[in-house]
Amino acid sequence: MSLKLKGDFIDNLPKIYGLYTGGFLIFVLLMALLEKNGVGADTIGILFVGFTIVIYAAIGWLSRTMQVDAYYVAGRQVPPVFNGMATAADWMSGASFVAMAGGIYMGGHAYLAFVVGWTGGYVLVAVLMAPYLRKFGCYTVPDFVGTRYGGNTARLLAVLVLVIASFTYVTAQINATGTIASRALQIPFEMGVWFGLLGILLCSMLGGMRAVTWTQVAQYIVLIIAYIVPVIWMSNKQGFGIMPQLAYGDAVARITELEATVGLGTLAKVAAPVDFPGLKALATAHNAPGDGMAAWKFVTLAACMMLGTASLPHILMRYFTTKSVRAARNSVAWSLFFIFLLYFTAPALATFTKLQILDPSLATSIIGKSIESVMALEWIQKWHEVKMVAIVDANRDGILQLNEFFMRADIVVLATPEIAGLPYVISGLVAAGGMAAAMSTADGLLLAIANALSHDLYYKVIDPKAETKKRLIVARVLLIVIGGLGAFVASMKLTGILGAVAWAFCFAMSGLFFPLVLGVWWKRANRAGAIAGMAVGLGVGTWYLYMVKWGGMTPWIGLDHLRFGIVGASASLIAMVVVSLMTKEPDAETQAMVDEIRIPKGETVLGSH
Amino acid sequence: MSESQQREMHWQKTRSLMIIHLCIWFFFSFVVHWFAKDLNAINFIGFPLGFYMAAQGSLFAFVVQLFIFVKQQDKIDREFGMAEDDNA
């Protein structure tokens, strides 16, 4: 393989990744064979996670570069379909892979707001943002803000929002890599976090965006296989066929029936054991959307995730790597398609898992069985040991009721193969997939932060005369420092995976959504307006989050801490429009620049720099 | 038509296309889910429709919508001579 011969490499992409996919499948079969021959589950887990990380690191090494264009935007030559896969991996984080099906399992319909929000956001990316930012020709998102509005204040505010949003997000990802690495490799969580970071840095440090792009494509292939194979297997076992996503309607109906017989919603609440933090008993119906406030909560959460999607710099910057504006647009559509493959599977997975546990006609069910027999199950014992599953016989009848079974929502995806009694090789595959999902997102986020600091803060503000070599060294040092900080914060376990992710979206939309959109779509938007928009949006959003989460304030119309972006972004819009109209319109040069980004043809606004 | 008129027309059409797609987006993002409870009474390929839309229906719509958008925008770009060279 000649990864360094660029022209060849791009032309041969389908072949290279085809071989890679085939190789990975052979590896999976090999593991299955080893399992058959009595190799222990632990060894298989270690091989899965270890082998895939070595591959990613090798791709990272082969993609090393000392060219600015390759480091920041992968040389602007990534074909749309491959950029779509890379974006999908960049996008689907540990939260999507590990926590989403679990969230749907526990939260039912209300939780599907995440599924809708995390896909619908791409419509905004394609229609409002990506093609125009690509035409602009910037290296980073603050680069656009800084040039469109002019002046260091605007640029630095954009860097600030980017760092806050992305750093919140990246700690959650490093946390997820730590969780998975610690389970698969049997090391303590804190060590798992640093181990995960090492893998992430190996993928990104030497080759910047170019290395991240090609590892993310490899990671997407692993994660999508790892997500879909177990679901198809399980559904086939239960008689729902091999396209479970289209056939699980009956399972939804069956769960609704079963919920009545097991007494969901009528049983008294039992307290979870105190030494098992974060465990919950199932108490929400699978399919019971409400109206009024419940509907409001659904649409506001979806809105936050969508506007956040369209403002998150690590996603937007993926579209800087395509060859043309047309390719950028095309690539957004492909990204959404690849993301869709996982997201329309997640509700199916949650539904099947719930059915496995509830349905007394299935051998896997545990509700209504004797506690003694449930405690003897291998998966219950294993997850009980790590304090992620607990059973309390509250009414002392020796039978497990729904309100007596507790588990952490996060484990649904990882534990499902074991619940369904699939061979361990599947669990190993799922662990590798979760690792790929968390690593690929962490890569993209770390790179977004380090690039903004090295390009926008260091090169554009502090030392505009710095030579290429120095710029790229600064970028790499920053990558290590920020990664280390992220791992340090993650090892303190401050927030759950999901809470932190939702906050990142809200921070991003509060500070960046309107300055970016109006920068393209409203010529009259000017520097003072943009500065006001970013500062007020970020300020009001942060204040509201603080007041609702810690300050004891009653949320306004149900906008809780997961939805603070609505408040922040509204404030940002008002501030930006009012201040823009009160101050002078942008000069002719700026207006001409906006005209230029609105048409695909011609040179990019920023030449190579 | 002069170059500036071309640009003006191109932007007008681009803007209309944006508005149309944001309306479709708004419908599948918010409107259908607002009525999820009522839609659940309808059976769609074995699913209660309200659940189906949140778990799959809206997602399908977004994907299809984007591929159509790409085609439409490209057509507008070409119509007014604003598209990039094909081999660019």
Side-chain angles (χ1 to χ4, degrees):
Chain A
M1 276 204 293
S2 54
L3 279 160
K4 271 176 283 173
L5 288 176
K6 280 200 285 186
D8 274 81
F9 176 59
I10 296 292
D11 294 339
N12 287 320
L13 279 174
K15 214 194 266 167
I16 292 170
Y17 281 106
L19 278 173
Y20 165 83
T21 310
F24 181 65
L25 291 174
I26 291 171
F27 175 77
V28 175
L29 289 178
L30 193 73
M31 290 298 113
L33 215 67
L34 285 182
E35 186 180 0
K36 263 222 153 93
N37 289 312
V39 175
D42 296 348
T43 319
I44 291 180
I46 292 170
L47 283 174
F48 255 109
V49 173
F51 176 75
T52 48
I53 292 181
V54 168
I55 296 276
Y56 308 145
I59 299 176
W61 167 252
L62 287 169
S63 311
R64 66 191 180 278
T65 183
M66 273 316 272
Q67 283 168 335
V68 178
D69 239 29
Y71 188 89
Y72 282 111
V73 287
R76 298 204 202 275
Q77 53 166 0
V78 184
V81 177
F82 287 94
N83 194 47
M85 280 194 239
T87 311
D90 198 27
W91 175 244
M92 292 189 287
S93 56
S96 294
F97 192 96
V98 179
M100 184 187 265
I104 301 170
Y105 176 95
M106 286 293 178
H109 179 270
Y111 197 90
L112 291 173
F114 281 108
V115 177
V116 174
W118 284 341
T119 48
Y122 279 85
V123 175
L124 300 178
V125 173
V127 175
L128 298 175
M129 310 259 195
Y132 305 101
L133 296 186
R134 173 63 189 82
K135 177 64 195 297
F136 198 78
C138 42
Y139 279 163
T140 65
V141 168
D143 211 7
F144 170 76
V145 174
T147 317
R148 161 66 176 85
Y149 296 111
N152 286 340
T153 317
R155 187 182 287 270
L156 292 179
L157 267 171
V159 172
L160 181 69
V161 179
L162 180 150
V163 170
I164 291 176
S166 305
F167 195 77
T168 314
Y169 204 162
V170 86
T171 53
Q173 297 315 312
I174 297 179
N175 185 331
T177 57
T179 309
I180 299 167
S182 69
R183 259 212 30 85
L185 306 176
Q186 323 253 327
I187 49 181
F189 172 79
E190 287 74 15
M191 242 169 91
V193 161
W194 292 101
F195 180 83
L197 176 68
L198 187 70
I200 293 162
L201 287 177
L202 280 173
C203 296
S204 53
M205 205 177 80
L206 296 169
M209 196 59 168
R210 176 155 90 177
V212 165
T213 302
W214 304 124
T215 46
Q216 280 176 341
V217 175
Q219 285 160 336
Y220 177 77
I221 292 168
V222 169
L223 81 85
I224 201 70
I225 291 176
Y227 204 85
I228 289 181
V229 166
V231 181
I232 292 179
W233 192 321
M234 210 157 57
S235 131
N236 208 21
K237 248 179 118 176
Q238 290 178 12
F240 285 98
I242 53 161
M243 263 303 269
Q245 294 94 337
L246 301 178
Y248 71 98
D250 296 341
V252 175
R254 174 91 180 120
I255 284 175
T256 307
E257 269 169 43
L258 288 168
E259 280 169 350
T261 60
V262 298
L264 181 115
T266 56
L267 292 168
K269 195 172 156 44
V270 175
V274 278
D275 51 338
F276 285 58
L279 267 54
K280 269 199 242 160
L282 184 61
T284 311
H286 199 54
N287 177 24
D291 35 23
M293 192 49 140
W296 168 250
K297 288 204 141 196
F298 189 102
V299 298
T300 46
L301 187 59
C304 282
M305 296 308 119
M306 290 182 185
L307 269 63
T309 303
S311 327
L312 276 168
H314 75 292
I315 292 305
L316 295 175
M317 76 180 196
R318 283 241 45 100
Y319 300 106
F320 302 166
T321 65
T322 57
K323 221 169 170 182
S324 63
V325 175
R326 184 188 301 128
R329 222 182 270 133
N330 218 332
S331 175
V332 185
W334 280 109
S335 307
L336 182 58
F337 170 75
F338 289 122
I339 291 164
F340 163 82
L341 289 182
L342 189 143
Y343 282 13
F344 97 126
T345 308
L349 177 62
T351 305
F352 286 128
T353 306
K354 205 181 267 187
L355 199 62
Q356 307 258 6
I357 286 183
L358 293 182
D359 193 340
S361 66
L362 295 171
T364 51
S365 72
I366 56 169
I367 304 300
K369 297 276 172 71
S370 82
I371 289 194
E372 203 182 338
S373 70
V374 172
M375 286 303 278
L377 290 171
E378 205 189 328
W379 72 270
I380 297 272
Q381 287 179 351
K382 208 160 106 192
W383 290 97
H384 186 267
E385 240 166 62
V386 287
K387 295 188 183 279
M388 299 211 179
V389 159
I391 285 170
V392 181
D393 191 7
N395 59 359
R396 303 181 182 284
D397 63 352
I399 304 286
L400 183 63
Q401 271 87 24
L402 190 63
N403 57 348
E404 297 172 340
F405 175 64
F406 300 90
M407 72 179 202
R408 253 178 77 149
D410 292 351
I411 71 166
V412 167
V413 169
L414 298 171
T416 292
E418 300 162 18
I419 298 174
L422 305 185
Y424 186 79
V425 65
I426 297 291
S427 306
L429 177 65
V430 171
M435 196 72 185
M439 279 177 72
S440 55
T441 305
D443 270 349
L445 287 163
L446 277 183
L447 199 64
I449 301 173
N451 285 1
L453 292 178
S454 68
H455 181 75
D456 294 289
L457 181 64
Y458 174 73
Y459 179 58
K460 288 286 178 174
V461 178
I462 297 174
D463 184 6
K465 290 197 188 89
E467 38 183 306
T468 307
K469 200 175 158 201
K470 201 167 163 202
R471 282 167 70 188
L472 292 183
I473 289 171
V474 169
R476 285 172 177 135
V477 171
L478 281 165
L479 203 59
I480 297 177
V481 172
I482 294 157
L485 273 175
F488 177 71
V489 174
S491 67
M492 298 194 299
K493 299 191 201 177
L494 290 178
T495 44
I497 296 179
L498 212 87
V501 169
W503 289 359
F505 282 74
C506 288
F507 276 125
M509 77 185 267
S510 296
L512 281 174
F513 185 75
F514 287 108
L516 291 176
V517 171
L518 298 179
V520 175
W521 293 88
W522 193 39
K523 246 192 234 178
R524 183 68 179 75
N526 62 15
R527 180 186 310 168
I531 291 173
M534 286 186 281
V536 171
L538 183 65
V540 170
T542 310
W543 167 80
Y544 186 80
L545 168 66
Y546 177 80
M547 291 307 285
V548 167
K549 179 83 180 162
W550 296 282
M553 189 170 81
T554 316
W556 306 343
I557 44 172
L559 297 171
D560 60 10
H561 70 101
L562 293 177
R563 297 165 175 81
F564 77 84
I566 300 266
V567 177
S570 309
S572 168
L573 174 64
I574 295 167
M576 186 161 173
V577 171
V578 170
V579 174
S580 281
L581 290 176
M582 278 174 9
T583 45
K584 230 171 71 207
E585 66 173 354
D587 55 27
E589 199 187 333
T590 308
Q591 299 211 25
M593 180 164 81
V594 177
D595 278 332
E596 218 36 59
I597 61 175
R598 288 175 174 184
I599 58 165
K601 75 168 181 186
E603 290 293 303
T604 55
V605 171
L606 295 173
S608 68
H609 48 166
Chain B
M1 248 191 307
S2 72
E3 164 86 13
S4 69
Q5 275 173 315
Q6 292 267 45
R7 281 179 178 240
E8 185 55 37
M9 292 287 290
H10 172 262
W11 188 243
Q12 261 180 29
K13 281 219 167 177
T14 301
R15 204 164 40 200
S16 319
L17 188 69
M18 179 271 280
I19 292 168
I20 291 169
H21 278 280
L22 287 192
C23 289
I24 299 170
W25 166 80
F26 189 85
F27 178 80
F28 284 107
S29 298
F30 307 123
V31 179
V32 284
H33 306 301
W34 189 268
F35 300 104
K37 195 176 172 185
D38 306 320
L39 291 176
N40 264 342
I42 303 168
N43 186 303
F44 180 75
I45 56 168
F47 288 87
L49 187 56
F51 182 90
Y52 180 82
M53 287 314 290
Q56 267 178 35
S58 290
L59 283 64
F60 265 130
F62 296 141
V63 173
V64 172
Q65 172 188 5
L66 272 195
F67 278 102
I68 294 174
F69 166 75
V70 168
K71 280 232 149 56
Q72 289 173 319
Q73 181 67 55
D74 197 43
K75 209 177 139 212
I76 293 174
D77 293 344
R78 284 173 199 279
E79 185 182 343
F80 297 99
M82 298 294 158
E84 298 145 297
D85 291 343
D86 279 310
N87 51 5

